[in-house]
Structures are given as structure tokens and as C-alpha cells.
Amino acid sequence: MNVQDGMPLARLTTMGTGGPAAAFAKPTTLAELGRALAWAAERDLPVTTVGLGSNLLGADEGVEELVLKLAGELASVRADGETLVAGGGATNAVCLHHARAAGLGGFEFACAIPGTAGGGVRMNAGAYGSDWSEILVRARVVSAEGDAWLTPAELGLSYRHSELRPGEVVAEVEYRLVPRPPDEIKRAVADLVARRKATQPTNKRTFGSVFKNPDHELGAGRMLEACGLKGHAIGGAMISPMHANFIENAGGATTADALALMAEARRRAREQFGVELEHEVRLLGAISVT
Ligand SMILES: Cc1cc2nc3c(=O)[nH]c(=O)nc-3n(C[C@H](O)[C@H](O)[C@H](O)COP(=O)(O)OP(=O)(O)OC[C@H]3O[C@@H](n4cnc5c(N)ncnc54)[C@H](O)[C@@H]3O)c2cc1C
């Protein structure tokens, strides 16, 4: 396994912004992952694992960290009875493909979530009334300190939240699914994808939902729309004209542009609705949302 310098975070995130990572590696086995974590620990370098970078904004200045992207065995998928076993780096699309081929349903809700198994656990990602906590049996979490299989309760999964700490890598997961004919799964997925395309900017560079839905009758998107923010732009970043809880890279955006838009959105929601919006997107590097 090679450790590379200077991999641009822009190449590791769906938003396409962010500067270089001090070190970058793609472990393909548990042994390689262990060596990468030991390598970082010897140098006192923090470790972050990225999936598809679909809920991630990286600092324009880059990060003094070892950034890992799981590949090979750590991104493989197989069905074992009614259990789907996936590497932490396996994409949701590949998991869904294997589930359908094995006649296993229950993962359809993730068809429009462009992430990986590890990112799904970290975020307790969800859609259409389901989330990871409902299908996850257990996840194998590896860090410089050890290796343990944890249940959803032990992972502390709640709305778009887990208790995973920096440096903890989801290396493998087991999903408990249920028998369902492949054709039914195909139809259900087509329906969900069509619904998604009708309401969200699926063909733009974004990082998914910017803010968590607040405890309010309006979701974050409707609230920001009511603030008149649809289409509002700073630099190359623009609040999606289709759905106000998305920020698009409309061309040449930087992470700083996106953060400035997020600060403006928070200010307007506070002034107009008295609501403190909490960001859902994960931040990588020395950046924050004001
Ligand atoms: C168009 C679009 C639509 C989306 N729709 C939804 C939706 O409907 N519902 C929803 O919940 N989300 C949605 N998202 C957001 C995003 O896809 C999910 O949060 C997804 O689960 C993130 O997975 P990822 O692998 O890309 O993680 P990343 O974005 O790469 O990382 C997110 C966090 O997970 C951590 N992480 C990633 N992999 C691992 C690992 N193996 N071990 C430990 N930590 C890890 C990262 O360090 C980071 O903190 C959407 C995003 C886009 C761009």
C-alpha cells in the first residue's frame, strides 16, 4: 500500500472543493488498514476515512491528516443467507445491486443516497422513513487501539448521528434484509429514484443536505426557501434553485464560498424563524460554520 502526498480533497468529494491531504492511502485489506493506522499513529497524524465524499466539505487549505479510502476487500459485497456483508468502502449502489440479485429487500431506501456502507453508518444516513439503524446488524470498527464489532446501540445511532470518533474506521458491516422478488425491488427503486429526481438537484455537484431538519413545522429546505434563499450565490456556490437545503457548485466554487452561504442561511433562519440550524455535512480540516 502506497502513502501519497498532496491528494486534493476536491477529488475525494462530490462538491469538488478542498485542498491537499498531507497523506492519502487506499487500504484494500484489514492488514493494510492496520498498517496505515499504525503509520499515522507513529507520526501523530489524525486519520479520516472518506467514502464517496457525498456529505463532506474539505478545507481549501487542505488537511494535516492521513485520509483513507477503503478499496479491494474493504469495498467488496456478498450475500450470506438473509445477511448482506459489505466492506466499509462498498458503495450503496453496489450493495443494492447484490441485494437485488440475491432477492433481498429492505435496502431500497438507500438507492438515492450516493455514499458507502461506512459513510452510512457514520451518518446514520436515511431516506423515505428508513435509516441505517434499521438494517444494520453490526459494524466492524477498527482503530489504532483495536478492532471490535459494534451494534447500532453501541454505535449510538440516532437522526443523522453516530458516536463514532475520529480515527475509528468502519471496515465491514452486516445488514439484515428480507426476501423480496428482484422485479419488485427494481420497481420500488425506479419509483424512489423518480421521486428524488423530481425534488432534488441530483445532476449537480452538491454535498447532500446542508442542514439537519430542525424541530419545527418547516423542514430546513422549506425554511430556507421562505427566507428567499433559492438561487442565492456567493462566489461559485449557489443555494439550489430546486431545493434550498442543497448547495451547488455552480462553477469554480471553493469550500469558503459554501461556508459563507451556510453562515448566511443560518443568520436568516435565526432572524426570521428564531431557529439555530445545525449542519449535517461533515467538515474536514480547520473549518467551521458560523
Ligand atoms: C445528491 C445527494 C443526495 C443525498 N441524499 C441523502 C439522503 O437522502 N439521506 C442521507 O442521509 N444522506 C444523503 N446524502 C448525503 C450522503 O450521501 C450520506 O450522508 C452518505 O451516507 C455519506 O456517505 P459517504 O460514504 O459518501 O461518506 P462521506 O461523505 O465520504 O463521509 C461522511 C462522514 O462519514 C465518515 N466516513 C466515511 N466512511 C467512513 C468509514 N468507512 N469509517 C468511518 N467513517 C467514515 C467521514 O469521515 C465523514 O465524517 C446525499 C448526498 C448527495 C450528494
Side-chain angles (χ1 to χ4, degrees), residues 14 48-56 70 88 112-116 118-120 122-127 160 164 168-170 196 200-202 206-209 246 280 282:
T14 51
T48 291
T49 308
V50 300
L52 292 185
S54 59
N55 213 358
L56 202 57
L70 307 184
I113 304 179
T116 62
R122 174 63 190 80
M123 304 305 300
N124 189 24
R160 304 298 173 263
L164 277 176
E168 292 185 328
V169 183
V170 175
R196 185 58 72 105
Q200 292 184 8
T202 51
T206 70
F207 46 88
S209 294
F246 283 77
E280 179 172 321
R282 304 286 304 167

Side-chain angles (χ1 to χ4, degrees), residues 35-223:
R35 284 200 290 280
L37 292 170
W39 183 91
E42 278 161 24
R43 288 158 183 79
D44 238 356
L45 263 191
V47 177
T48 291
T49 308
V50 300
L52 292 185
S54 59
N55 213 358
L56 202 57
L57 268 181
D60 293 318
E61 297 69 31
V63 284
E64 274 308 303
E65 295 200 21
L66 169 63
V67 174
L68 297 177
K69 188 170 168 75
L70 307 184
E73 281 174 23
L74 299 178
S76 65
V77 185
R78 69 188 161 83
D80 179 5
E82 292 181 13
T83 304
L84 198 76
V85 183
T91 64
N92 299 336
V94 170
C95 288
L96 188 56
H97 175 80
H98 281 264
R100 195 183 70 195
L104 293 175
F107 196 61
E108 296 85 331
F109 76 89
C111 64
I113 304 179
T116 62
V121 173
R122 174 63 190 80
M123 304 305 300
N124 189 24
Y128 308 112
S130 295
D131 63 23
W132 249 246
S133 70
E134 291 173 34
I135 51 157
L136 185 70
V137 180
R138 56 182 193 156
R140 184 174 198 165
V141 178
V142 178
S143 70
E145 281 76 50
D147 178 342
W149 283 95
L150 303 179
T151 63
E154 289 165 331
L155 289 158
L157 300 189
S158 59
Y159 173 59
R160 304 298 173 263
H161 174 83
S162 70
E163 297 289 342
L164 277 176
R165 287 168 305 208
E168 292 185 328
V169 183
V170 175
E172 200 175 351
V173 302
E174 291 176 0
Y175 299 136
R176 172 68 39 76
L177 302 179
V178 288
R180 192 174 189 195
D183 281 356
E184 247 185 55
I185 296 175
K186 198 173 171 184
R187 279 196 299 277
V189 165
D191 177 49
L192 293 176
V193 168
R195 278 162 67 183
R196 185 58 72 105
K197 281 189 177 155
T199 54
Q200 292 184 8
T202 51
N203 58 350
K204 306 281 181 192
R205 302 203 77 156
T206 70
F207 46 88
S209 294
V210 179
F211 298 106
K212 295 183 183 183
N213 281 324
D215 188 11
H216 190 277
E217 60 180 304
L218 292 181
R222 291 268 177 240
M223 185 172 284

Side-chain angles (χ1 to χ4, degrees), residues 177-287:
L177 302 179
V178 288
R180 192 174 189 195
D183 281 356
E184 247 185 55
I185 296 175
K186 198 173 171 184
R187 279 196 299 277
V189 165
D191 177 49
L192 293 176
V193 168
R195 278 162 67 183
R196 185 58 72 105
K197 281 189 177 155
T199 54
Q200 292 184 8
T202 51
N203 58 350
K204 306 281 181 192
R205 302 203 77 156
T206 70
F207 46 88
S209 294
V210 179
F211 298 106
K212 295 183 183 183
N213 281 324
D215 188 11
H216 190 277
E217 60 180 304
L218 292 181
R222 291 268 177 240
M223 185 172 284
L224 296 177
E225 182 177 351
C227 292
L229 280 167
K230 272 188 165 176
H232 188 72
I234 296 182
M238 176 172 67
I239 306 247
S240 169
M242 193 171 192
H243 191 306
N245 199 24
F246 283 77
I247 290 178
E248 298 176 5
N249 183 344
T254 62
T255 291
D257 295 338
L259 292 172
L261 262 185
M262 288 166 70
E264 177 64 7
R266 269 171 54 80
R267 185 183 69 74
R268 298 233 202 146
R270 191 182 305 125
E271 281 180 13
Q272 205 158 318
F273 291 95
V275 166
E276 286 296 336
L277 288 176
E278 186 191 340
H279 62 88
E280 179 172 321
V281 60
R282 304 286 304 167
L283 306 178
L284 181 51
I287 50 176

